[in-house]
Amino acid sequence: SQIFKGERDLTPDQAFVLCEYLGLNQLETEYFLCLISISKAGNFKLKKFYDAKRTSLAQELSKLKNIVSRKKNLDEEEKALFYSNWFYSAIRLVTSIEGIDSKEKIARFLNLPLKTVSPVVDFLVSVSLLKEVKGKYIIGPTMTYLDPDSPLISNHHRNWRFKAIDKHIFLSEDEFCFTAPLTINKNDAAKVKVLLKETIGKISDIVQNSNQIDSLFTVNIDWFSPLEIKKGD
């Protein structure tokens, strides 16, 4: 209560725990701790030392923002991180929902810890998949796409299918899942494949023209033969 009233300053330990709670990144944490050190320094030279460090950190943060604003394409290492877990894509997408524009709101909407969401948001901003505008996060100009032969494509499929499995026992009336092992003529199987592709195209059109976005959904469609293909067959 004394700290909130301005009668006392945070201790370094309290400041560090607060940085973790707020989900600050490494540079932001260093900057905040530097401010605490300045307020607690009793020696003029020591205050000057920490103030110079604060200026250096501020410049470093500014340089990082400039780099972020110019970046448009993901390199392979960034793609590997983005497709490492389902919530990278989910965090990016939910910022298109009105009112979901801060780390705290994203964390609550996706039911994820803030300490998980915060570094992901920072990464997405750094590669222009998100933009920070006046303290609010919105989808950025960079697009994500994987070629069918990309070594990361299996990660992408796996991430969202695992998420679907987790959701099966909690399905609402607006959701459904369909699994149907079946036997079929090969010619008819080809027709089903065409039908599924046409359906995906129609879904894409609906999504592109959807207004007043307020929900996050995912589509997982699998049409395959579960039989193991043996070499020489």
Side-chain angles (χ1 to χ4, degrees), residues 10 14-36 61 103-104 114-120 122 132 137:
L10 292 168
Q14 290 170 333
F16 183 77
V17 172
L18 179 61
C19 290
E20 283 192 324
Y21 176 77
L22 295 175
L24 301 186
N25 63 29
Q26 180 70 26
L27 275 178
E28 291 168 338
T29 298
E30 289 184 31
Y31 186 87
F32 186 74
L33 292 176
C34 191
L35 293 178
I36 298 298
L61 284 165
K103 293 178 178 179
E104 293 79 9
L114 181 59
K115 65 180 181 180
T116 298
V117 169
S118 184
V120 174
D122 292 337
E132 185 178 3
Y137 297 102

Side-chain angles (χ1 to χ4, degrees), residues 41-104:
N43 181 280
F44 172 76
K45 289 184 177 180
L46 184 58
K47 279 184 179 290
K48 189 175 180 180
F49 170 81
Y50 280 122
D51 191 55
K53 184 176 180 181
R54 180 197 62 79
T55 301
S56 176
L57 288 169
Q59 291 174 347
E60 195 170 346
L61 284 165
S62 179
K63 288 178 182 177
L64 180 60
K65 287 183 178 179
N66 289 335
I67 292 172
V68 167
S69 65
R70 295 195 300 267
K71 193 168 184 62
K72 298 297 180 185
N73 299 314
L74 297 183
D75 60 31
E76 292 306 311
E77 184 176 348
E78 291 162 348
K79 285 181 182 178
L81 181 56
F82 180 76
Y83 290 105
S84 66
N85 207 304
W86 68 273
F87 51 68
Y88 281 84
S89 178
I91 287 171
R92 173 178 177 265
L93 289 171
V94 298
T95 60
S96 65
I97 299 174
E98 187 175 355
I100 311 300
D101 51 20
S102 70
K103 293 178 178 179
E104 293 79 9

Side-chain angles (χ1 to χ4, degrees), residues 138-198:
I138 59 175
I139 286 183
T142 301
M143 300 295 291
T144 62
Y145 173 76
L146 285 179
D147 291 322
D149 58 351
S150 169
L152 297 174
I153 198 71
S154 60
N155 272 14
H156 180 53
H157 293 312
R158 187 184 303 114
N159 289 339
W160 285 104
R161 278 156 180 77
F162 282 162
K163 189 62 180 173
I165 291 170
D166 290 340
K167 190 66 188 296
H168 282 169
I169 60 174
F170 302 108
L171 291 179
S172 69
E173 292 182 357
D174 295 328
E175 302 165 314
F176 83 97
C177 289
F178 179 74
T179 301
L182 49 83
T183 54
I184 191 172
N185 178 279
K186 285 186 177 180
N187 291 331
D188 289 335
K191 294 177 184 177
V192 172
K193 181 179 177 182
V194 171
L195 178 62
L196 291 175
K197 285 189 172 183
E198 290 175 351

